[in-house]
Amino acid sequence: MRLIVAVTGASGVVYGQRLLEVLRVKKVETHLIISKAAKKLIEHELKTTKKRLEALASHTHDVEDLTAPITSGSFKTDGMVIIPCTMKTLAGIAHGYSDNLILRAADVSLKERRK
């Protein structure tokens, strides 16, 4: 199984951390994207570093890298999770505004009818 996991700046980054821990135990391949705002909250809410959160993922991608493989429909995944999801991110997805990798990957997931 292969999932894209995005962590945004909403309060509750602990949920993203816990999901990554569980998926790692279950040997699920994860592709992690962390928003700019989430990077700031990780230290505050989790009392850890971005690098430690990234270490839980199989692969990491910079939120500004719109050339990452996960932006293509030919990159097969079983779905995408945005945890937690800010209202800004939700609005971007709902209106097709793909100005970062999280939004673009969500667009592709929806276009390809993935979970």
Side-chain angles (χ1 to χ4, degrees):
M1 179 173 262
R2 178 191 275 176
L3 291 175
I4 299 169
V5 177
V7 176
T8 69
S11 182
V13 292
V14 67
Y15 298 119
Q17 178 184 29
R18 183 67 183 129
L19 176 65
L20 288 167
E21 291 168 349
V22 170
L23 293 174
R24 185 181 181 112
V25 168
K26 293 186 176 283
K27 307 224 184 294
V28 173
E29 179 183 335
T30 53
H31 289 261
L32 176 64
I33 313 163
I34 302 172
S35 75
K36 290 179 186 178
K39 290 175 187 176
K40 296 175 186 173
L41 285 178
I42 289 168
E43 286 188 27
H44 177 71
E45 288 190 6
L46 298 180
K47 309 292 188 243
T48 190
T49 64
K50 176 182 81 100
K51 288 207 180 284
R52 289 186 114 173
L53 186 64
E54 289 175 334
L56 295 172
S58 309
H59 307 275
T60 60
H61 303 278
D62 186 270
V63 72
E64 298 301 323
D65 183 8
L66 293 176
T67 66
I70 60 175
T71 63
S72 172
S74 64
F75 187 86
K76 302 294 184 205
T77 67
D78 294 290
M80 180 174 181
V81 180
I82 303 172
I83 182 169
C85 185
T86 61
M87 289 303 295
K88 178 182 177 183
T89 301
L90 181 61
I93 294 166
H95 295 284
Y97 182 68
S98 300
D99 74 334
N100 67 39
L101 185 56
I102 294 171
L103 297 173
R104 176 67 183 137
D107 272 355
V108 170
S109 294
L110 289 170
K111 175 181 70 82
E112 297 294 327
R113 300 186 185 275
R114 297 180 182 145
K115 295 179 182 181

